[in-house]
Amino acid sequence: GQNIDQPTEMTATEGAIVQINCTYQTSGFNGLFWYQQHAGEAPTFLSYNVLDGLEEKGRFSSFLSRSKGYSYLLLKELQMKDSASYLCAVRDRYTDKLIFGTGTRLQVFP
Amino acid sequence: KAGVTQTPRYLIKTRGQQVTLSCSPISGHRSVSWYQQTPGQGLQFLFEYFSETQRNKGNFPGRFSGRQFSNSRSEMNVSTLELGDSALYLCASSPGTDQDTDTQYFGPGTRLTVL
C-alpha cells in the first residue's frame, strides 16, 4: 500500500528558513512532487524529484532520499505570501497514480 | 497559454440529486485527472482520462463517473449525491505522453456543497 506523512501545521517568521518534511511508503516509487496551495486556490507545481539529491529553484529547494523514503521542501527568505499548504505527492510506478499527503499548512508571521 | 479551467466554480445541491462538473485542460494536454479534496482526507484520486479512455481509477463508488471528449475536455458526474460528497473537486491536466515525468497542472476547482 501507500502512505505519505507530513506535519499538519508549521509556523515560521518572515525572513527565516523552514523545512517541511515528507516521509512515504510505497510499493513502487516513480517520482515525488511538491505543490503549493493557497487557501481557496488550486495547487500549483513547485518541484519534482526522481533521483536522490537536492533540486534548487530560487528560494525553494527539494531534497529526496529514496532509500529512506524521505523528502523535504526547504523555503528560504520566507515571505508572508508563502503562507499556504504544501502538498507532497508520490507517483506509484505500478499504477502511475499520484498519491497525495494531507498537506502541511504553513503560517508565516511578521 | 490559458490554464486549466473548471465550471462551475460553486454548486449547491441536495441529497439524491446528481451533478456534472466540467474541466477544460491546457491546450495540447491530453490527460485529465480528477481529485476530491476534503479537509480530513486531503486530495483523493478519482480517475484519469487520456484520449477519451479511462486510463486509471481510484477507489470511489460507481456513483462517480467521468468521460473525456475528442477535444480533451472532460466531465465528471456524481449521481445520487450524499452529504459526504461535499468537497472541492479538482481537475488536473498533463501532456500525458510520458507518464514517468508528467507534471499535473490543476484547475481552480469546483466547490460542491450537498445539503
Side-chain angles (χ1 to χ4, degrees):
Chain A
Q2 298 102 2
N3 191 45
I4 298 177
D5 285 313
Q6 307 177 234
T8 306
E9 289 196 10
M10 297 182 71
T11 59
T13 308
E14 202 173 10
I17 299 173
V18 73
Q19 177 174 312
I20 303 174
N21 296 326
C22 170
T23 57
Y24 64 88
Q25 293 170 311
T26 180
S27 51
F29 174 84
N30 199 21
L32 186 144
F33 296 79
W34 283 97
Y35 284 84
Q36 179 192 59
Q37 186 177 25
H38 285 100
E41 296 183 15
T44 54
F45 169 73
L46 287 177
S47 68
Y48 169 67
N49 294 69
V50 67
L51 299 175
D52 291 351
L54 190 69
E55 294 280 341
E56 295 188 77
K57 257 190 197 180
R59 295 190 298 115
F60 293 8
S61 304
S62 56
F63 171 83
L64 175 68
S65 168
R66 289 172 295 170
S67 62
K68 293 181 178 162
Y70 167 69
S71 172
Y72 67 72
L73 181 69
L74 193 72
L75 292 77
K76 303 175 192 171
E77 300 166 21
L78 279 172
Q79 301 174 10
M80 298 296 290
K81 67 178 182 179
D82 297 330
S83 292
S85 286
Y86 291 86
L87 310 175
C88 170
V90 170
R91 173 170 280 135
D92 184 284
R93 75 169 353 182
Y94 298 115
T95 65
D96 282 321
K97 291 178 188 175
L98 259 190
I99 312 299
F100 280 84
T102 51
T104 299
R105 186 169 167 243
L106 173 68
Q107 285 185 283
V108 180
F109 292 101
Chain B
K1 270 189 184 177
V4 180
T5 57
Q6 292 186 245
T7 56
R9 292 294 311 278
Y10 302 92
L11 260 181
I12 299 176
K13 292 283 187 180
T14 55
R15 275 182 301 174
Q17 286 187 307
Q18 73 156 16
V19 68
T20 299
L21 313 181
S22 181
C23 171
S24 292
I26 292 170
S27 178
H29 284 191
R30 293 162 63 189
S31 168
V32 173
S33 297
W34 288 90
Y35 294 87
Q36 182 195 66
Q37 187 175 34
T38 56
Q41 298 292 316
L43 269 158
Q44 302 285 310
F45 173 74
L46 281 153
F47 28 66
E48 180 203 2
Y49 284 87
F50 177 79
S51 290
E52 301 178 66
T53 302
Q54 189 180 84
R55 187 160 71 174
N56 227 328
K57 190 176 185 306
N59 299 321
F60 278 79
R63 300 186 296 109
F64 292 81
S65 62
R67 60 178 175 166
Q68 187 179 36
F69 302 95
S70 58
N71 61 357
S72 294
R73 189 177 70 86
S74 177
E75 286 182 348
M76 190 192 102
N77 186 276
V78 188
S79 61
T80 321
L81 284 166
E82 300 176 0
L83 294 178
D85 297 333
S86 295
L88 180 68
Y89 289 88
L90 289 161
C91 155
S93 82
S94 66
T97 50
D98 184 345
Q99 289 177 268
D100 281 0
T101 59
D102 252 14
T103 296
Q104 295 187 0
Y105 297 91
F106 285 85
T110 295
R111 172 77 60 188
L112 172 65
T113 303
V114 182
L115 302 176

